[in-house]
């Protein structure tokens, strides 16, 4: 009798271990698929409003349906994807009011995050920011500009450890990425070079370790984007 009990316990233990291992494998695969899908959304492969089919995600990213479903849940939590039960998933679309609200939040949070970083940025890091600002001026391709611009701003925030502020800013950046792409097309077509001027002003403030000026320049930079987006409501009508 004791032998049977022991065997049953071992069997259950093995099943539990196997189940835990499966969950761990699915979790890791889900995180990988979420990272790849996030990159695709930010790159414009899936524009706002585009439908994302779970089976397509699984096939494209070499995963089963379970990690694909988990990936969509992760991105839904980040606000990048909207999942409708028993219907499907779509890349989240923002209307003008929603986008303005996010930019208002960014105007207040990002300068604070920058303030934490100002005394921690090394001269080499500031040199790298200046080089990025210069390269952006000469970027002929919108996607190249967007990649450099993202690297420029997020590099300003990497030095200071934060509990939640850094992650919050990153998520806000990701949610507005498609509309930054549309805005970039507009200001480049109009020949507006204010964004480049502001980048160089920000680098100069960082070199002087002038946190107040750096905050002011950054808040104005974000605000101007918000106001320009409001001037082009047609951006939000694009299907």
């Amino acid at each position: 009798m004791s032998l049977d009990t022991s065997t049953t316990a071992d069997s259950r233990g093995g099943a539990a271990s196997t189940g835990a291992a499966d969950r761990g494998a699915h979790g890791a695969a889900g995180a990988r698929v979420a990272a790849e899908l996030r990159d695709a959304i930010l790159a414009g492969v899936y524009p706002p409003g585009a439908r994302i089919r779970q089976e397509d995600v699984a096939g494209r990213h070499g995963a089963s349906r379970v990690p694909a479903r988990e990936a969509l849940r992760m991105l839904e939590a980040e606000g990048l994807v909207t999942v409708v039960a028993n219907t499907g998933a779509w890349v989240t679309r923002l209307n003008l009011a929603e986008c303005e609200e996010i930019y208002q939040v960014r105007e207040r949070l990002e300068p604070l995050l920058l303030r934490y970083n100002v005394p921690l940025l090394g001269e080499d890091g500031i040199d790298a920011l200046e080089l990025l600002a210069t390269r952006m001026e000469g970027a002929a391709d919108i996607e190249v500009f967007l990649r450099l611009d993202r690297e420029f701003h997020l590099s300003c925030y990497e030095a200071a450890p934060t509990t939640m502020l850094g992650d919050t800013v990153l998520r806000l950046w990701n949610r507005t990425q498609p509309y930054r792409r549309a805005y970039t097309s507009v200001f480049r077509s109009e020949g507006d070079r204010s964004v480049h001027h502001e980048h160089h002003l920000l680098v100069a403030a960082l070199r002087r370790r002038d946190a107040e000026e750096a905050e002011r320049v950054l808040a104005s930079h974000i605000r101007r984007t918000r106001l320009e987006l409001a001037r082009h409501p047609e951006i939000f009508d694009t299907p």
Side-chain angles (χ1 to χ4, degrees):
M1 186 70 176
S2 60
L3 179 61
D4 291 342
T5 302
S6 174
T7 302
T8 302
D10 289 344
S11 175
R12 289 176 178 172
S17 298
T18 300
D22 287 344
R23 287 192 297 273
H26 286 318
R32 174 185 63 80
V33 173
E36 293 174 359
L37 188 53
R38 183 186 303 110
D39 287 345
I41 292 172
L42 297 180
V45 176
Y46 298 100
R51 186 169 187 178
I52 303 179
R53 299 181 185 277
Q54 185 176 296
E55 56 272 21
D56 293 343
V57 171
R60 181 181 295 235
H61 298 279
S64 67
R65 294 173 69 93
V66 174
R69 183 169 62 248
E70 183 63 23
L72 290 173
R73 286 175 178 167
M74 291 178 187
L75 297 183
E76 181 183 31
E78 296 175 18
L80 290 179
V81 169
T82 300
V83 178
V84 179
N86 303 317
T87 304
W90 287 262
V91 178
T92 300
R93 291 183 63 179
L94 300 176
N95 59 38
L96 176 56
E98 291 166 335
C99 196
E100 284 192 323
E101 180 179 337
I102 292 175
Y103 267 92
Q104 291 269 14
V105 174
R106 284 185 55 194
E107 283 175 49
R108 288 152 179 80
L109 291 188
E110 284 188 50
L112 175 61
L113 180 56
L114 182 63
R115 173 175 284 274
Y116 285 143
N117 281 268
V118 169
L120 302 177
L121 289 168
E123 287 299 323
D124 288 348
I126 297 173
D127 288 343
L129 291 173
E130 186 167 20
L131 177 59
L132 286 169
T134 300
R135 290 175 62 194
M136 274 186 275
E137 288 189 86
D141 182 79
I142 287 178
E143 292 304 321
V144 172
F145 171 85
L146 287 171
R147 177 177 58 79
L148 295 173
D149 185 58
R150 182 182 178 89
E151 183 178 355
F152 176 90
H153 285 285
L154 297 186
S155 293
C156 291
Y157 309 145
E158 290 179 344
T162 60
T163 302
M164 50 74 69
L165 185 55
D167 288 341
T168 300
V169 165
L170 179 59
R171 291 191 178 195
L172 294 174
W173 256 77
N174 289 349
R175 290 198 68 184
T176 55
Q177 178 73 6
Y179 305 97
R180 290 179 56 253
R181 178 174 286 106
Y183 162 71
T184 299
S185 298
V186 169
F187 86 72
R188 287 168 69 95
S189 68
E190 295 177 348
D192 184 355
R193 299 189 62 80
S194 300
V195 63
H196 301 303
H197 180 59
E198 289 165 349
H199 286 154
H200 286 292
L201 285 176
L202 183 55
V203 171
L206 294 174
R207 273 202 197 284
R208 296 193 305 271
R209 308 296 174 175
D210 188 340
E212 287 189 11
E213 176 66 5
E215 284 189 278
R216 186 193 68 78
V217 171
L218 180 59
S220 177
H221 184 64
I222 298 169
R223 177 176 180 271
R224 189 171 58 78
T225 303
R226 172 173 60 81
L227 294 177
E228 287 300 311
L229 282 169
R231 288 181 56 232
H232 296 278
E234 71 278 3
I235 286 173
F236 301 88
D237 297 330
T238 303

